Structures are given as structure tokens and as C-alpha cells.
Amino acid sequence: MQIYTNEDVRPGAIAGQRIAIIGYGSQGRAHAQNLKESGFDVIAGVREGGKGWRHAQADGIATAEPAQAVKGADIIAILTPDMAQADIYRETIEPNARKGAAILFAHGFSIHYGRIAPRKDLDVILVAPKGPGDLVRREYARGRGVPALFAVHTDATGKARDRAMGYAKGIGGATGGLIETSFKEETETDLFGEQAVLCGGAKELVMQGFSTLVEAGYQPEVAYFECLHELKLIVDLFYEGGVSKMHEFISETAKYGAVVSGPRVVNGETRARMREVLTDIQSGAFARDWIAENEAGKGAYEALLKADHDHPIEAIGAGLRERMAWLQPASQGASRPAAA
């Protein structure tokens, strides 16, 4: 596997090309600011008077209604939520994009699962920073960059790969390092990571651990610290130096418990459930279910979210975090006790 850097991007890859950012949320805002500061002609396609319009103007980014922004663009970055993209493409992009323009995604869901069938004359590319928008912006401002994936789905002009790499460089991704992938690989691995490990698996592990301790008669506040609060300390070690760094910085007792008891909790049965999750993603079953849930008004989804928010760990955690001054804005930090 090759990791591409700034030196691997063809000089002038997207020089002189106007870039329209459609969707001015976390990623859109970071991309627009970074691209502008990299010297590119950037315009935000946002509704006049809306929050995105106000933010873009405050950031010094040129603004226009989405259709107008698309008409004059060479690269159209679609950075809206997945479920909104099909309508945006059909109503705003397809009738207005110039021949030979590129449409760019930060996640491959809409293309991989056939939600969007782009015009044959358009380049279809992907640039997916491996971090949230605020980190993409913050690291660029520091002269660094967040690593990114890039891919080409359709090369209508013969310049699609250069466009993807040039855009990635413009947001700082080539400084962090670029890995070439496919829409299929990016989409399926991203969904799997979210569901089985990061947002789904970790959440359930925390909640089930908390409930196990509380049901056994332990104080919920103590259970919160052991099952949720201290998780950040371990994740930080993973993030900084992998499993080896975690082992380096925890006690011998913790290490022994980790290697003998971890596989009792996450084991072959867990792997089998993970494979089921991956199969649903690969077959399109998850995408079909999520699309159908949106079309039905998201009632089941909202009920499941409410169950998470109503879990006892949330009330316990909220009370404990009020006493953690380092989590509060500076102006709300605990005042010093009066001198005796």
C-alpha cells in the first residue's frame, strides 16, 4: 500500500477550477476554509439567510443559492447528510452542472448503494478525511493535516484522479497522507466501523458493563467511572500508540485481566455477530433498511435513540460531569475557595 503525500499530487492538478461546496456543516465549513486558504476559488451553495449562508459569509467564503453555485463550478463537493443527497443531486446538481464537471463526496453511500446515478459526462470522486470537520480545520491551520482516503468512481474527463488528489491536498489531506481506495471499500468499512466497533459496539459495551455492575448492587456513580469515564483514558492510549502503548501504561493486574478476560466478553460469538453486521452492509440490507426508515418518518429510529438517552447511565453521567471543571467552558469553571 502506498501513502501519497503533497509531492505525489500533480502540480496545478485543480488550478483555476471553481469549487462549489454544497452543505456548510462541519465538513463543508472546514473544506471551504482550507481550500480558500490554499488559494482556490471557492463558493458555498447555501440558502440565502440560512445558518450555512451566515456562517459562510462570516468565514469570508463567497455564497450563492445552490443551483447558481453549481452552474459555475468545475468541482461540486456534496457534503450534506447521506439521506438528503439524492434529492439534491436530482433537483439541483444534475440540471445545472456543466459538462465535464466533477461531483465529489466525503462518503460513498449514495453512489455505492445506487441512490445517485450521475450523468455519464461527470467525474465522480471521493475525498474522505479521517477525522471530523473541526479537526480537519484545526490541523490545517497548524500547518499539518488529517489523513484522507480518495477514490475515483467515474473518470469521464481523464482527470478525475488528479482532481481528487488536488482537492485532498487543498484541504490538508496530502500533508497527513493519502490512501487510495474505492467507493465500495470506503463505504462498507466506514459503516462497519461505526456499527460494530465505534458508535454501536463501544456504546453497548459501556451500557452493558454499567448495568451489570448496578444490577449486582454496586453504586451507579462508581459503575459510571469504571465503565464510561475511564474509557477515554484507554482510548487515548490506543490512539497514541496502539495496543502496545495501552499495555505499557496500565498496571500488571490490569494487563493480566485484559488478556484473560477480554476474550471471554468479545469472543467467537461476538465475531459471528460482527460478520452478520458486515454481511448486511455488503448486501445492501442495512442501506435498504435505513432508507426505508427515513421514508417511513423515522419512528423506530427515534424510539431507539430515546431508549439510549433514557438509559440510567445518562442521568448519572450528567450529574458527575457537572463536577468535572475540565469539561466546562472556562467561564463556567469552579471558582477557587475563599482564603481562610
Side-chain angles (χ1 to χ4, degrees):
M1 180 199 70
Q2 182 174 355
I3 296 179
Y4 298 94
T5 64
N6 290 312
E7 289 70 32
D8 298 306
V9 179
R10 185 178 66 80
I14 57 172
Q17 298 188 35
R18 167 164 274 209
I19 303 170
I21 302 294
I22 309 300
Y24 207 75
S26 174
Q27 285 289 343
R29 193 172 191 178
H31 289 211
Q33 291 177 287
N34 291 5
L35 289 163
K36 181 184 177 186
E37 291 178 18
S38 291
F40 295 107
D41 179 12
V42 181
I43 187 166
V46 284
R47 299 297 181 192
E48 185 172 2
K51 183 169 70 172
W53 182 284
R54 296 193 301 272
H55 284 167
Q57 293 206 327
D59 295 337
I61 303 296
T63 55
E65 288 287 333
Q68 288 302 120
V70 167
K71 285 179 180 178
D74 300 287
I75 299 174
I76 303 152
I78 306 173
L79 302 175
T80 60
D82 291 331
M83 290 300 108
Q85 290 179 2
D87 288 343
I88 290 170
Y89 175 79
R90 183 180 64 255
E91 297 169 5
T92 303
I93 295 172
E94 186 171 53
N96 293 299
R98 62 174 56 162
K99 183 178 180 180
I103 55 173
L104 179 147
F105 298 84
H107 179 43
F109 188 102
S110 294
I111 294 296
H112 181 54
Y113 292 119
R115 296 273 287 164
I116 294 174
R119 282 178 6 209
K120 300 301 183 184
D121 63 283
L122 300 175
D123 286 343
V124 182
I125 57 180
L126 176 144
V127 174
K130 301 315 294 176
D134 64 330
L135 183 65
V136 172
R137 176 61 184 153
R138 189 165 66 246
E139 287 302 292
Y140 178 92
R142 291 173 175 170
R144 303 185 300 205
V146 173
L149 306 181
F150 75 98
V152 174
H153 178 74
T154 302
D155 185 7
T157 67
K159 301 176 182 177
R161 192 169 183 270
D162 281 345
R163 280 172 150 173
M165 294 183 75
Y167 183 102
K169 179 179 179 179
I171 64 171
T175 303
L178 301 177
I179 296 175
E180 191 164 12
T181 184
S182 65
F183 274 65
K184 171 181 167 62
E185 184 176 58
E186 186 280 332
T187 302
E188 293 178 356
T189 56
D190 185 76
L191 292 176
F192 177 81
E194 290 171 350
Q195 294 173 32
V197 181
L198 306 174
C199 309
K203 171 184 72 70
E204 287 301 317
L205 191 64
V206 165
M207 287 182 167
Q208 295 296 337
F210 174 89
S211 296
T212 299
L213 288 177
V214 172
E215 289 168 6
Y218 298 101
Q219 296 180 76
E221 291 81 4
V222 175
Y224 174 87
F225 279 118
E226 298 305 329
C227 296
L228 191 154
H229 176 79
E230 293 191 23
L231 179 64
K232 181 185 185 304
L233 309 178
I234 300 304
V235 170
D236 283 349
L237 294 173
F238 281 147
Y239 187 74
E240 293 165 6
V243 173
S244 295
K245 185 163 184 178
M246 181 200 73
H247 284 320
E248 180 183 354
F249 283 89
I250 62 177
S251 71
E252 290 293 311
T253 303
K255 278 188 278 193
Y256 179 70
V259 296
V260 300
S261 296
R264 296 171 63 192
V265 177
V266 179
N267 52 26
E269 182 179 353
T270 312
R271 283 285 303 282
R273 302 291 84 75
M274 286 183 169
R275 284 192 289 271
E276 290 176 2
V277 169
L278 182 57
T279 297
D280 284 348
I281 292 167
Q282 292 171 325
S283 70
F286 167 77
R288 290 191 294 272
D289 288 347
W290 177 221
I291 293 165
E293 178 64 19
N294 273 267
E295 292 174 348
K298 300 193 288 189
Y301 164 68
E302 295 292 348
L304 290 169
L305 279 182
K306 185 175 186 303
D308 272 1
H309 294 313
D310 290 345
H311 192 282
I313 199 172
E314 289 296 276
I316 294 296
L320 290 172
R321 288 190 296 273
E322 287 181 355
R323 305 205 51 83
M324 300 177 191
W326 62 91
L327 297 180
Q328 312 304 324
S331 61
Q332 298 179 20
S335 59
R336 293 179 179 273

